């Protein structure tokens, strides 16, 4: 949360590129970072987006420094990550996600509810970011 606070503080002081640089560090947890990043792109906040892209490029280069094989293994894992919740032994009712919530509350409609809630979350973020500017 400190990264989000710092990014919003920098946005408030009209330092969009620096805000993007700081916010880009949050991409270690993409499900937290993507909603605000997408809204900032939608709002055409190019300096913020450029700051995020700069941080992501630097992190990508640092990752490549660990070795190409490790990066390829991670990329392979990412292609299968969305199916992880369907593995035997995965307890979806303990999942801390919208999918886990709706799987238990609205069985059979969980995918539709998850998409709807995700769209609602993006709209709420857009409203909140308009209050920041």
């Amino acid at each position: 949360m400190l990264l989000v606070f710092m990014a919003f503080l920098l946005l408030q002081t009209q330092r969009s590129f620096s805000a993007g640089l700081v916010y880009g560090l949050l991409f270690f947890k993409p499900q937290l970072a993507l909603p605000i990043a997408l809204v900032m792109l939608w709002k055409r906040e190019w300096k913020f987006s450029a700051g995020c892209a700069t941080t992501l490029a630097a992190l990508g280069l640092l990752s490549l420094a660990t070795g190409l094989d490790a990066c390829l293994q991670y990329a392979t894992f990412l292609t299968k990550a969305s199916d992880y919740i369907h593995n035997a032994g995965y307890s979806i009712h303990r999942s801390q996600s919208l999918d886990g919530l709706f799987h238990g509350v609205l069985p059979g409609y969980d995918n539709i509810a998850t998409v709807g809630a995700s769209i609602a979350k993006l709209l709420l973020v857009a409203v909140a970011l308009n209050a920041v500017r």
Side-chain angles (χ1 to χ4, degrees), residues 2 7 9 11 21 28 34 36 42-43 47 52 68 70-71 75 81 84-85 91 99-101 108 121-122 128-129:
L2 181 60
L9 185 63
L11 278 173
L21 284 173
F28 70 89
L34 278 174
I36 291 175
W42 176 61
K43 288 180 62 176
K47 288 181 182 179
C52 276
L68 184 59
C71 292
Y84 183 75
I85 63 172
S91 187
D99 194 31
L101 168 70
K121 181 172 62 169
L122 282 172
L129 285 174

Side-chain angles (χ1 to χ4, degrees), residues 92-93 95-107 110 113-114 117:
I92 195 158
H93 67 280
S95 168
Q96 297 176 5
S97 66
L98 291 173
D99 194 31
L101 168 70
F102 292 121
H103 184 77
V105 176
L106 297 169
D110 52 328
T114 300

Side-chain angles (χ1 to χ4, degrees), residues 55-111:
T55 298
L56 291 174
L59 293 174
L61 290 173
L62 286 171
S63 295
L64 284 173
T66 65
L68 184 59
D69 187 50
C71 292
L72 291 174
Q73 287 176 18
Y74 184 67
T76 301
F77 165 77
L78 288 178
T79 62
K80 299 173 186 164
S82 64
D83 294 329
Y84 183 75
I85 63 172
H86 303 291
N87 287 341
Y90 184 81
S91 187
I92 195 158
H93 67 280
R94 292 185 181 180
S95 168
Q96 297 176 5
S97 66
L98 291 173
D99 194 31
L101 168 70
F102 292 121
H103 184 77
V105 176
L106 297 169
Y109 298 98
D110 52 328
N111 291 336

